[in-house]
Every structure is written in structure tokens, then in C-alpha cells.
């Protein structure tokens, strides 16, 4: 043998680089540990992964203490609605808790088809398909419908799942400044002619900022440049429009002008999963060719039944959408009157309070927690450091008293925050 053999008689493998099997060498892990050290040194409690001991709607219980909760996507308060719970329980009795395999293998359940029929009707689409994960829906579908000769163009604030789907597809990728239609047009003019297919992707309601795009302008651009238009309406359903039908209703645009509607089942619809609504050929292709559907277990029947019941409740009880709109407007007005920076939020369910420093945002979240208000900080790298914020999710179940209390407490605690730049510099020196 040319190399020294081991006991098995096989040549020994070359020694791996130092740390090759050490998970602490993963990119970003050192930064994570540094952040935790910062927090420990200044006595800052980790605001994430708190254990909620009951249904977390406008109220919740953490550590056996009651909180007013602004960290829930349950915009219309349908999680726990009697009709929604009854539908889930009836589905368990009939189908059990799982589809047990992919829908290609294990077959369909009537609740799957009913949910998809209802969602397709809401968007006036030809068909719809529901999957077990909203994130996987975007990654899988975008990754499958585009290829190396294609182009995908998306807003710079687009959700991680869309950016990953674009990367997975192998298509050329371009991003444009947030909601800047002129910049989008310039990209299309320069890049569209050299690619076969083109997909434009935006969100219906942006989850970090609470604003929405100019849908009429997007429709005009996709027509002019021969592109598909995809709207991720995850946060728009139940929130935008007089009936909560999402961005198309808010903008007064025929939803059929949008080629691909994507949404999630985990927010207004009180379940979990994602869906695509659109033309029949697209949905047929997804059902037979997209790995996120073909090779994944089917949506749990109780969840499908619960989501369909939540859609029914939204239609039967329009006052929930009306209350949500009133609450969002009240929060935005009160925050701006107190000089809080709410960015570009339109006051529909998602309202940030921008502090511009991650440490300040984390400190403010903890101070509000001490006052019985649960709201999460959004820190770098989830947003740029200068855009670090608290993100308030407003629901139809909040009272005007809840809103006034939260805004007043935020303003008071912000006034007591000190500049953190010197603290960060000192801690950095002590850890290096």
C-alpha cells in the first residue's frame, strides 16, 4: 500500500481541519454567544422563547403572570373561536390527527379539498393547493417554477422564504428598494429582455413595517414586461380590505390580475401551513412536481378543518375586521402623538416602534414585560441595526384601554433609556 493502513486494512483518511466536527465553529455561532454574553453582563433577560401557558391572543400568561400580548398573529381572534375548535375536534374524531403520508400516497380528505376550494374562491382563482409549511411553500414553488434562464425580482424587504426560493431556483436575482416602483421598472427594462421567464414578488402587507405595495402599478409593470406577479399575502388576509380579503380588496384591484397568490394558514386562519392560489395549470404542476408538496406529509385534517371554519367565521362576523382596523388606527394615532417612530406603517395590525439600536430594543422589551406588556424586539441581523425596533401586532381582541396602556408605557420607558453606545463599546473591549 502507498499509504499506511489502519487496522481495517484500508488507507487512513487525511486528518480533517481543526474544528471540522465542532458545531461551535458554525458561522454566526460566535456572534450569537457574544450577544448572549452582552445580555448576561448587563442583566438583560432573553425576550425570546418565552413559554405561554394558555392561548396567546390579546391576553396571555407567562410564568404564571397575566400579560397584554402584542406578539400574536391571531389578528381576528379566531384561534379558540368555538366554531373553529369544534371543526378541529370533529375532524379528529373522523380522520385522526394526521394525513399519515403525502397526499399522493395517503390520498385526499374532504377537508383538504374544502379548504382549497374556499381559498380559491376568495381570490377568484381557478384552483388552490395547501401545504404543511408557509416557508416551504415559497421555497418549493419559486424554486420549481424558475430556472437558470429566468429572472426573479423582489422587494428588498421580502421574506426570507422568498429570497431562499429565488436562490434555490438558480434564476438571476434582483432586488429593488422597498416599494419603489420606478426602481423596479428600471430593473425590468435592463434585465427582462435577456431572460425567458420573469417573476415579480412582493408582500401584501410587509411583516416588519406594516405597509403595502402599489398593486395597480405592479399589475401594469407585469403586463408591460411579460412577467408573472406573485403576492405573498400572508399578513394581508384578514387584515386588509373591508372584508379582510387582502391586498387586492384594499387596492380595489381584480384579484385575477395577480398570477400567483400565496398565503399562510398560521395567522388569521388559526392553523399552520401555506397555500398557493392561481391558474389551474400552475396548481396541477405544484401537486405533481413541487417537492415541498409531493414529498411532504399532507396537511393535518384537523388543521385543514379549523382553517376552513376560520374562513367561515371571518365572513360571518365582519365586525372582527372592523375592530381590527379601529384598533390599528388608534394605536398608530396614539404612538405618533407621543412622538414614537412608527416608520411607514399604515396602522393595519403591524406597527413598529423604531429605536435604531438593538440593545435599546431588547432593553425596552424587557422593561415593558416588567409592566405586563409582551412585545418582541426585532434586532440585527433580522433588520439593519439602524432599524432595530419593537414590533406590535394589533388584534381585534385588544381593547382601546390595552392600546392606550401599551403606547403610554412605551413612551415612558423610552424616555428613560440611556445611550447604549458606550455600554456596547465597554462590553466589546471586555470580551476581546
Amino acid at each position: 500500500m502507498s499509504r499506511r493502513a489502519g487496522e481495517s486494512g484500508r488507507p487512513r483518511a487525511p486528518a480533517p481541519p481543526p474544528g471540522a466536527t465542532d458545531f461551535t465553529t458554525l458561522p454566526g455561532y460566535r456572534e450569537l454567544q457574544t450577544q448572549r454574553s452582552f445580555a448576561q453582563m448587563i442583566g438583560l433577560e432573553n425576550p425570546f422563547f418565552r413559554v405561554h401557558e394558555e392561548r396567546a391572543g390579546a391576553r396571555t400568561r407567562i410564568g404564571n403572570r397575566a400579560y397584554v400580548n402584542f406578539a400574536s398573529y391571531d389578528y381576528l381572534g379566531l384561534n379558540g373561536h368555538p366554531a373553529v375548535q369544534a371543526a378541529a375536534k370533529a375532524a379528529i374524531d373522523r380522520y385522526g390527527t394526521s394525513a399519515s403520508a403525502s397526499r399522493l400516497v395517503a390520498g385526499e380528505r374532504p377537508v383538504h379539498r374544502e379548504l382549497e376550494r374556499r381559498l380559491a374562491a376568495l381570490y377568484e382563482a381557478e384552483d388552490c393547493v395547501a401545504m404543511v409549511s408557509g416557508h416551504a411553500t415559497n421555497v418549493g414553488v419559486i424554486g420549481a417554477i424558475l430556472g437558470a434562464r429566468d429572472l426573479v425580482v423582489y422587494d428588498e424587504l421580502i421574506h426570507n422564504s422568498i429570497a431562499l426560493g429565488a436562490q434555490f431556483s438558480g434564476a438571476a436575482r434582483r432586488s429593488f428598494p422597498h416599494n419603489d416602483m420606478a426602481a423596479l421598472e428600471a430593473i425590468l427594462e435592463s434585465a427582462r429582455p435577456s431572460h425567458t421567464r420573469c417573476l415579480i414578488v412582493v408582500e401584501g402587507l410587509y411583516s416588519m413595517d406594516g405597509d403595502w405595495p402599489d398593486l395597480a402599478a405592479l399589475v401594469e409593470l407585469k403586463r408591460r414586461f411579460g412577467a408573472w406577479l406573485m403576492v405573498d399575502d400572508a399578513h394581508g388576509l384578514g387584515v386588509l380590505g373591508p372584508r379582510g380579503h387582502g391586498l387586492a380588496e384594499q387596492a380595489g384591484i381584480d384579484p385575477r390580475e395577480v398570477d400567483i397568490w400565496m398565503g399562510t394558514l398560521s395567522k388569521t386562519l388559526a392553523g399552520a401551513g401555506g397555500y398557493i392560489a392561481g391558474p389551474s395549470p400552475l396548481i396541477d404542476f405544484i401537486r405533481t412536481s413541487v417537492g415541498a408538496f409531493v414529498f411532504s406529509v399532507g396537511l393535518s385534517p384537523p388543521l385543514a378543518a379549523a382553517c376552513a371554519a376560520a374562513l367561515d367565521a371571518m365572513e360571518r362576523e365582519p365586525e372582527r375586521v372592523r375592530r381590527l382596523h379601529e384598533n390599528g388606527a388608534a394605536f398608530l394615532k396614539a404612538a405618533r402623538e407621543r412622538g414614537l417612530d412608527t416608520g411607514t406603517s399604515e396602522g393595519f395590525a403591524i406597527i413598529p416602534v423604531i429605536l435604531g439600536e438593538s440593545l435599546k430594543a431588547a432593553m425596552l422589551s424587557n422593561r415593558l414585560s416588567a409592566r405586563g406588556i409582551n412585545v418582541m424586539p426585532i434586532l440585527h441581523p433580522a433588520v439593519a441595526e439602524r432599524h432595530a425596533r419593537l414590533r406590535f401586532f394589533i388584534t381585534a381582541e385588544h381593547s382601546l384601554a390595552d392600546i392606550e396602556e401599551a403606547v403610554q408605557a412605551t413612551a415612558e420607558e423610552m424616555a428613560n433609556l440611556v445611550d447604549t453606545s458606550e455600554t456596547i463599546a465597554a462590553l466589546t473591549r471586555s470580551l476581546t
Side-chain angles (χ1 to χ4, degrees), residues 102-104 131-132 136-137 139-145 168 285-298:
S102 74
R103 287 163 62 181
L104 274 74
M131 306 186 205
V132 294
T137 297
V139 173
V141 171
I142 296 173
I145 66 174
F168 181 60
F285 175 79
I286 293 171
R287 287 179 184 274
T288 57
S289 306
V290 172
F293 181 82
V294 173
F295 299 109
S296 178
V297 67

Side-chain angles (χ1 to χ4, degrees), residues 239-256:
V239 175
L240 296 178
R243 298 173 297 168
H245 283 203
L247 178 62
E249 185 178 49
Q250 181 71 33
I253 300 294
D254 186 336
R256 291 170 294 185

Side-chain angles (χ1 to χ4, degrees), residues 35 47-48 70-71 73 157 206-209 235 350-366 375-393:
Q35 291 171 350
F48 306 110
F70 291 93
Y73 294 150
L157 299 186
Y206 282 89
S207 60
M208 291 292 179
D209 294 271
H235 292 270
I350 301 168
I351 303 177
V353 173
I354 300 171
L355 289 90
E357 294 179 28
S358 290
L359 182 56
K360 276 188 175 181
M363 291 171 66
L364 182 56
S365 173
N366 276 276
V375 57
M376 291 295 99
I378 307 297
L379 314 175
H380 176 79
V383 294
E385 177 66 13
R386 68 183 184 279
H387 293 147
R389 66 194 62 195
L390 297 188
R391 182 172 55 163
F392 288 84
F393 291 115

Side-chain angles (χ1 to χ4, degrees), residues 210-228:
D211 57 1
W212 59 77
D214 184 342
L215 186 57
L218 287 162
V219 168
E220 192 276 331
L221 286 172
K222 74 104 179 182
R223 282 178 179 169
R224 181 147 59 94
F225 288 97
W228 289 324

Side-chain angles (χ1 to χ4, degrees), residues 88-100:
K89 291 173 183 176
I92 290 174
D93 291 340
R94 183 173 180 182
Y95 308 110
T97 57
S98 174
S100 301

Side-chain angles (χ1 to χ4, degrees), residues 41-56:
M41 292 177 72
I42 62 175
L44 187 63
E45 179 189 350
N46 184 354
F48 306 110
F49 300 105
R50 290 171 175 159
V51 177
H52 295 252
E53 296 150 5
E54 61 184 28
R55 182 178 79 89

Side-chain angles (χ1 to χ4, degrees), residues 167-188:
Q167 182 179 1
F168 181 60
S169 75
R173 291 168 283 147
R174 302 286 188 275
S175 66
F176 58 91
H178 183 50
N179 281 341
D180 188 335
M181 296 298 106
L184 170 59
E185 181 178 11
I187 291 172
L188 292 171

Side-chain angles (χ1 to χ4, degrees), residues 91-173:
I92 290 174
D93 291 340
R94 183 173 180 182
Y95 308 110
T97 57
S98 174
S100 301
S102 74
R103 287 163 62 181
L104 274 74
V105 173
E108 303 279 281
R109 306 295 184 273
V111 289
H112 293 139
R113 294 292 181 88
E114 176 60 18
L115 173 62
E116 290 165 347
R117 183 191 67 79
R118 293 293 314 283
L119 287 167
L122 186 142
Y123 291 104
E124 300 181 36
E126 292 176 356
D127 205 351
C128 176
V129 60
M131 306 186 205
V132 294
S133 162
H135 192 280
T137 297
N138 274 332
V139 173
V141 171
I142 296 173
I145 66 174
L146 297 175
R149 297 181 178 180
D150 302 327
L151 171 69
V152 57
V153 189
Y154 48 81
D155 191 290
E156 66 179 351
L157 299 186
I158 207 70
H159 192 267
N160 167 270
S161 59
I162 292 169
L164 284 181
Q167 182 179 1
F168 181 60
S169 75
R173 291 168 283 147

